[in-house]
Amino acid sequence: MLRPQDGPTRERRSLTGLWRFRLDAGGTGRTEGWWRAQLANAVDIPVPASYNDIYPDAVVRDHVGDAWYQTSVWVPDRWVGQRVVLRFDAATHHATVWVNNTEVAQHEGGYTPFEADVTAHLQPGAENRVTVAVNNELSWSTIPPGTVEELPDGRRVQRYLHDFFNYAGLHRPVWLYTTPLLHLSDITVTTTFDDTTGVIDYRMDSSGEAARCRVVLRDAAGDEVATADGANGTLRVPDVHPWAPGDGYLYELEASLLSTSGEVLDSYRQTVGVRTVEVRGQQFLINGDPFYFKGFGKHEDAAVRGKGHDDVLMVHDFALLDWIGANSFRTAHYPFAEEILDYADRHGVVVIGETAAVGLNLNIGGGVFSSGRRVSTFAPDRVSDDTQRAHLQAIRELLARDKNRPSVVLWSVANEPDDVPPEARDYFAPLAAETRRLDPTRPVAYANALLGPPDECVVADLFDVLMLNRYYGWYFGPGDLASAETALETELRQWAELHHKPIIITEYGADTYPGLRSLVPSPWTEEFQTEILDVYHRVFDRIDAVVGEHVWTFADFATAPGVFRVDGNKKGIFTRDRRPKTAAFHLRIRWRKSE
């Protein structure tokens, strides 16, 4: 699936803006056919945005069920004879789409794109109605999972195990775009080096056979540096300029389908960053050089807009990453908007791409570890074969979307799943195998919680990198930093000795209320956040196998209401409105010292 773009053979139209919006907790809109006419009793809603915080109404914020969106779009006469496609970059979590009176698409999964050929359902030279029912309900057969509880008074409440608010809606742009009837449907590129020559293998997929397929590669100045004929082939670029951390150099590959006379039937431009990724022993290598991850786990989250993509906030966040000296981040805990990965590609920021598989652990709830006996997560009415099927599909859609991105160097298939019972191996072995089958060029990992220590975890050997989320001194022995330092070092040495793989600490930190200060560091103060990070950093510097540190988290974010979270998760180095806490300046000194 190629992203919409304008070009000699393609045209796109953004449907960003104000749509009509109506909640439908009872699901009556489907039986009454709300898509067949103008949406009655509707209000304005911006797209893209989460709908939950737009209006000051708890009913909207806590809504469970269908939410209806509707807009109209003019289809010009010049599009006659073209293939017209309606694309949603994300609809959280399930979407049903109608164009005029016809259902054209359904999609499960809130963070990856889907589209439908709507050529036959549009009226050229007229306004056309687009209606979407977006459902935010989670179950044990969705990724992420959840359950819906019906209260005695009839209200329905969504329960979930992930520690971020279940924002919903059309979070990313919506597009209507054209292609020729005979068109390119996909492009895949992989890169390597032959000494100083860049080697680019490419594959073009199309809707039918053209007389000729041709590719042209241009450098950043627009000069042609390599060409090839055929739907599959190899380009060689002498004295190639590699894509590297901090140097987001991109080539542009133009793929074309040609007629027998040489006429361009369809063309598409695909950016290419020439780089390699490898795990060798306890090292993580980019272009053959050891790489050390410095950065954050990060959420798409902001006041009012929720998870709605916003270019202004995106550019500001990347500026803060640069200011603090970060070189990477993890898309915790779902695929981020493609605009964010575009920016990372162009600026040489390294990314760990993660699926939305968070909450697959009944021993963790809302970021808080349960106490007492261990609960079994894997069962027919919990994490089951149905969950695994949804999880596999989430992996396939993530890799299909981001396979060509040089910034993405590591796939994370899950965050903090239950990885101790024997059933965990049966669940995760096919996931790891499918990820490698789809993309043998990148390592595969998952983020391990402390409930799966090295002598109990049954799945770590299935993966290439050890990603560890650790909270000694916070959830475990809160406030006792001396014990935290000893316990952390002991455990990391156990992991290194047992698996001899690179270790990235993908979460560590402490909740910190901005402005709460203390002469003696104590939990929730800015001094304690700074001190606990220093403790962890001393340990990292003593363990050769540690190849990265991602603080949890970049900025404070919204969570489900509860007594364990006051106005959300406060582990951010920046506040939700991006003001720095004291720890930000300490991290800046550490991370910029190593530049």
Side-chain angles (χ1 to χ4, degrees), residues 1 29 52 107 169 179 199 209 262 351 358 399 427 458 492 513-514 526 549:
M1 184 191 302
N52 307 80
H107 182 258
T179 73
V199 181
E209 291 189 13
V351 176
V358 57
L399 270 63
Y427 182 89
V458 299
L492 294 186
Y513 197 84
E526 295 197 33
E549 52 194 59

PDB file of all heavy atoms in Angstrom, residues 1 29 52 107 169 179 199 209 262 351 358 399 427 458 492 513-514 526 549:
ATOM      1  N   MET A   1       0.851  -1.188   0.000  1.00  0.00           N
ATOM      2  CA  MET A   1       0.000   0.000   0.000  1.00  0.00           C
ATOM      3  C   MET A   1       0.890   1.241   0.000  1.00  0.00           C
ATOM      4  O   MET A   1       1.651   1.472   0.934  1.00  0.00           O
ATOM      5  CB  MET A   1      -0.897   0.008   1.239  1.00  0.00           C
ATOM      6  CG  MET A   1      -1.891   1.160   1.270  1.00  0.00           C
ATOM      7  SD  MET A   1      -2.704   1.336   2.868  1.00  0.00           S
ATOM      8  CE  MET A   1      -3.470  -0.267   3.066  1.00  0.00           C
ATOM      9  N   GLY A  29     -27.278   3.652  15.130  1.00  0.00           N
ATOM     10  CA  GLY A  29     -26.981   4.206  13.816  1.00  0.00           C
ATOM     11  C   GLY A  29     -26.817   3.161  12.734  1.00  0.00           C
ATOM     12  O   GLY A  29     -27.176   3.396  11.572  1.00  0.00           O
ATOM     13  N   ASN A  52     -12.323  12.833  22.469  1.00  0.00           N
ATOM     14  CA  ASN A  52     -12.655  12.731  23.890  1.00  0.00           C
ATOM     15  C   ASN A  52     -12.594  14.050  24.643  1.00  0.00           C
ATOM     16  O   ASN A  52     -13.428  14.313  25.519  1.00  0.00           O
ATOM     17  CB  ASN A  52     -11.729  11.713  24.572  1.00  0.00           C
ATOM     18  CG  ASN A  52     -11.719  10.382  23.878  1.00  0.00           C
ATOM     19  OD1 ASN A  52     -11.043  10.224  22.867  1.00  0.00           O
ATOM     20  ND2 ASN A  52     -12.465   9.413  24.401  1.00  0.00           N
ATOM     21  N   HIS A 107     -12.133  -1.990   9.039  1.00  0.00           N
ATOM     22  CA  HIS A 107     -10.750  -2.198   9.456  1.00  0.00           C
ATOM     23  C   HIS A 107     -10.678  -2.291  10.970  1.00  0.00           C
ATOM     24  O   HIS A 107     -11.334  -1.530  11.682  1.00  0.00           O
ATOM     25  CB  HIS A 107      -9.846  -1.056   8.991  1.00  0.00           C
ATOM     26  CG  HIS A 107      -8.401  -1.252   9.347  1.00  0.00           C
ATOM     27  ND1 HIS A 107      -7.793  -0.615  10.404  1.00  0.00           N
ATOM     28  CD2 HIS A 107      -7.446  -2.041   8.778  1.00  0.00           C
ATOM     29  CE1 HIS A 107      -6.526  -0.984  10.469  1.00  0.00           C
ATOM     30  NE2 HIS A 107      -6.290  -1.848   9.499  1.00  0.00           N
ATOM     31  N   GLY A 169     -11.029   7.970  17.773  1.00  0.00           N
ATOM     32  CA  GLY A 169     -11.462   8.856  16.705  1.00  0.00           C
ATOM     33  C   GLY A 169     -10.581   8.737  15.481  1.00  0.00           C
ATOM     34  O   GLY A 169      -9.826   7.773  15.317  1.00  0.00           O
ATOM     35  N   THR A 179      -5.163   7.189  -8.894  1.00  0.00           N
ATOM     36  CA  THR A 179      -4.070   6.516  -9.596  1.00  0.00           C
ATOM     37  C   THR A 179      -4.603   6.127 -10.974  1.00  0.00           C
ATOM     38  O   THR A 179      -5.820   6.052 -11.176  1.00  0.00           O
ATOM     39  CB  THR A 179      -3.601   5.240  -8.876  1.00  0.00           C
ATOM     40  OG1 THR A 179      -4.595   4.203  -9.055  1.00  0.00           O
ATOM     41  CG2 THR A 179      -3.370   5.469  -7.395  1.00  0.00           C
ATOM     42  N   VAL A 199      24.358  -0.525  -2.314  1.00  0.00           N
ATOM     43  CA  VAL A 199      23.638  -1.533  -3.079  1.00  0.00           C
ATOM     44  C   VAL A 199      22.174  -1.493  -2.649  1.00  0.00           C
ATOM     45  O   VAL A 199      21.864  -1.707  -1.469  1.00  0.00           O
ATOM     46  CB  VAL A 199      24.227  -2.934  -2.865  1.00  0.00           C
ATOM     47  CG1 VAL A 199      23.476  -3.965  -3.700  1.00  0.00           C
ATOM     48  CG2 VAL A 199      25.714  -2.946  -3.204  1.00  0.00           C
ATOM     49  N   GLU A 209       0.290  -5.999 -15.744  1.00  0.00           N
ATOM     50  CA  GLU A 209       1.584  -6.009 -16.411  1.00  0.00           C
ATOM     51  C   GLU A 209       1.722  -4.810 -17.340  1.00  0.00           C
ATOM     52  O   GLU A 209       0.847  -4.530 -18.152  1.00  0.00           O
ATOM     53  CB  GLU A 209       1.763  -7.309 -17.202  1.00  0.00           C
ATOM     54  CG  GLU A 209       1.923  -8.538 -16.322  1.00  0.00           C
ATOM     55  CD  GLU A 209       2.304  -9.761 -17.129  1.00  0.00           C
ATOM     56  OE1 GLU A 209       2.679  -9.585 -18.316  1.00  0.00           O
ATOM     57  OE2 GLU A 209       2.243 -10.865 -16.582  1.00  0.00           O
ATOM     58  N   GLY A 262       6.834   3.863 -24.599  1.00  0.00           N
ATOM     59  CA  GLY A 262       7.625   4.622 -23.638  1.00  0.00           C
ATOM     60  C   GLY A 262       6.844   5.640 -22.841  1.00  0.00           C
ATOM     61  O   GLY A 262       7.414   6.373 -22.029  1.00  0.00           O
ATOM     62  N   VAL A 351      14.681   5.063  15.313  1.00  0.00           N
ATOM     63  CA  VAL A 351      13.360   4.714  15.840  1.00  0.00           C
ATOM     64  C   VAL A 351      13.272   3.216  16.099  1.00  0.00           C
ATOM     65  O   VAL A 351      13.728   2.405  15.287  1.00  0.00           O
ATOM     66  CB  VAL A 351      12.254   5.126  14.842  1.00  0.00           C
ATOM     67  CG1 VAL A 351      10.875   4.680  15.338  1.00  0.00           C
ATOM     68  CG2 VAL A 351      12.270   6.629  14.607  1.00  0.00           C
ATOM     69  N   VAL A 358       0.075  -3.930  23.879  1.00  0.00           N
ATOM     70  CA  VAL A 358       0.369  -3.552  25.253  1.00  0.00           C
ATOM     71  C   VAL A 358      -0.839  -3.960  26.091  1.00  0.00           C
ATOM     72  O   VAL A 358      -1.975  -3.848  25.645  1.00  0.00           O
ATOM     73  CB  VAL A 358       0.661  -2.042  25.361  1.00  0.00           C
ATOM     74  CG1 VAL A 358      -0.496  -1.223  24.826  1.00  0.00           C
ATOM     75  CG2 VAL A 358       0.975  -1.637  26.793  1.00  0.00           C
ATOM     76  N   LEU A 399       4.789  -3.650   9.532  1.00  0.00           N
ATOM     77  CA  LEU A 399       5.951  -3.861   8.667  1.00  0.00           C
ATOM     78  C   LEU A 399       5.667  -3.450   7.225  1.00  0.00           C
ATOM     79  O   LEU A 399       6.541  -2.904   6.546  1.00  0.00           O
ATOM     80  CB  LEU A 399       6.402  -5.320   8.728  1.00  0.00           C
ATOM     81  CG  LEU A 399       7.448  -5.636   9.822  1.00  0.00           C
ATOM     82  CD1 LEU A 399       6.883  -5.376  11.211  1.00  0.00           C
ATOM     83  CD2 LEU A 399       7.941  -7.060   9.706  1.00  0.00           C
ATOM     84  N   TYR A 427       2.793 -18.646  22.259  1.00  0.00           N
ATOM     85  CA  TYR A 427       2.186 -17.425  21.732  1.00  0.00           C
ATOM     86  C   TYR A 427       3.203 -16.606  20.943  1.00  0.00           C
ATOM     87  O   TYR A 427       2.906 -16.124  19.836  1.00  0.00           O
ATOM     88  CB  TYR A 427       1.617 -16.593  22.881  1.00  0.00           C
ATOM     89  CG  TYR A 427       0.915 -15.334  22.431  1.00  0.00           C
ATOM     90  CD1 TYR A 427      -0.441 -15.344  22.124  1.00  0.00           C
ATOM     91  CD2 TYR A 427       1.606 -14.129  22.310  1.00  0.00           C
ATOM     92  CE1 TYR A 427      -1.089 -14.189  21.694  1.00  0.00           C
ATOM     93  CE2 TYR A 427       0.970 -12.971  21.881  1.00  0.00           C
ATOM     94  CZ  TYR A 427      -0.382 -13.011  21.578  1.00  0.00           C
ATOM     95  OH  TYR A 427      -1.006 -11.867  21.145  1.00  0.00           O
ATOM     96  N   VAL A 458      10.598 -17.095  29.521  1.00  0.00           N
ATOM     97  CA  VAL A 458      10.692 -18.264  28.633  1.00  0.00           C
ATOM     98  C   VAL A 458      10.754 -17.881  27.157  1.00  0.00           C
ATOM     99  O   VAL A 458      10.736 -18.766  26.292  1.00  0.00           O
ATOM    100  CB  VAL A 458       9.504 -19.227  28.861  1.00  0.00           C
ATOM    101  CG1 VAL A 458       9.495 -19.736  30.292  1.00  0.00           C
ATOM    102  CG2 VAL A 458       8.170 -18.568  28.492  1.00  0.00           C
ATOM    103  N   LEU A 492      21.124  -7.009  35.514  1.00  0.00           N
ATOM    104  CA  LEU A 492      21.658  -6.784  34.175  1.00  0.00           C
ATOM    105  C   LEU A 492      22.827  -7.716  33.882  1.00  0.00           C
ATOM    106  O   LEU A 492      22.975  -8.210  32.755  1.00  0.00           O
ATOM    107  CB  LEU A 492      22.082  -5.328  34.010  1.00  0.00           C
ATOM    108  CG  LEU A 492      20.962  -4.287  34.043  1.00  0.00           C
ATOM    109  CD1 LEU A 492      21.504  -2.903  33.716  1.00  0.00           C
ATOM    110  CD2 LEU A 492      19.837  -4.653  33.095  1.00  0.00           C
ATOM    111  N   TYR A 513       6.203  15.313  40.129  1.00  0.00           N
ATOM    112  CA  TYR A 513       5.265  16.416  40.012  1.00  0.00           C
ATOM    113  C   TYR A 513       6.058  17.703  39.805  1.00  0.00           C
ATOM    114  O   TYR A 513       6.888  18.071  40.641  1.00  0.00           O
ATOM    115  CB  TYR A 513       4.394  16.534  41.255  1.00  0.00           C
ATOM    116  CG  TYR A 513       3.176  17.378  41.008  1.00  0.00           C
ATOM    117  CD1 TYR A 513       2.026  16.821  40.442  1.00  0.00           C
ATOM    118  CD2 TYR A 513       3.182  18.747  41.278  1.00  0.00           C
ATOM    119  CE1 TYR A 513       0.911  17.594  40.169  1.00  0.00           C
ATOM    120  CE2 TYR A 513       2.076  19.525  41.007  1.00  0.00           C
ATOM    121  CZ  TYR A 513       0.945  18.945  40.455  1.00  0.00           C
ATOM    122  OH  TYR A 513      -0.153  19.725  40.175  1.00  0.00           O
ATOM    123  N   PRO A 514       5.847  18.402  38.699  1.00  0.00           N
ATOM    124  CA  PRO A 514       6.660  19.586  38.408  1.00  0.00           C
ATOM    125  C   PRO A 514       6.510  20.650  39.495  1.00  0.00           C
ATOM    126  O   PRO A 514       5.410  20.964  39.941  1.00  0.00           O
ATOM    127  CB  PRO A 514       6.105  20.071  37.066  1.00  0.00           C
ATOM    128  CG  PRO A 514       4.745  19.479  36.958  1.00  0.00           C
ATOM    129  CD  PRO A 514       4.818  18.170  37.665  1.00  0.00           C
ATOM    130  N   GLU A 526      11.350  16.703  42.016  1.00  0.00           N
ATOM    131  CA  GLU A 526      12.245  16.812  40.871  1.00  0.00           C
ATOM    132  C   GLU A 526      13.649  16.326  41.224  1.00  0.00           C
ATOM    133  O   GLU A 526      14.358  15.764  40.376  1.00  0.00           O
ATOM    134  CB  GLU A 526      12.275  18.261  40.379  1.00  0.00           C
ATOM    135  CG  GLU A 526      10.926  18.731  39.825  1.00  0.00           C
ATOM    136  CD  GLU A 526      11.038  19.988  38.978  1.00  0.00           C
ATOM    137  OE1 GLU A 526      12.075  20.153  38.304  1.00  0.00           O
ATOM    138  OE2 GLU A 526      10.096  20.798  38.983  1.00  0.00           O
ATOM    139  N   GLU A 549      19.719   3.611  26.418  1.00  0.00           N
ATOM    140  CA  GLU A 549      18.933   4.074  27.560  1.00  0.00           C
ATOM    141  C   GLU A 549      17.803   4.960  27.047  1.00  0.00           C
ATOM    142  O   GLU A 549      18.028   6.009  26.454  1.00  0.00           O
ATOM    143  CB  GLU A 549      19.820   4.835  28.548  1.00  0.00           C
ATOM    144  CG  GLU A 549      20.643   5.952  27.919  1.00  0.00           C
ATOM    145  CD  GLU A 549      21.757   6.463  28.830  1.00  0.00           C
ATOM    146  OE1 GLU A 549      22.629   5.655  29.216  1.00  0.00           O
ATOM    147  OE2 GLU A 549      21.767   7.690  29.122  1.00  0.00           O
TER     148      GLU A 549
END
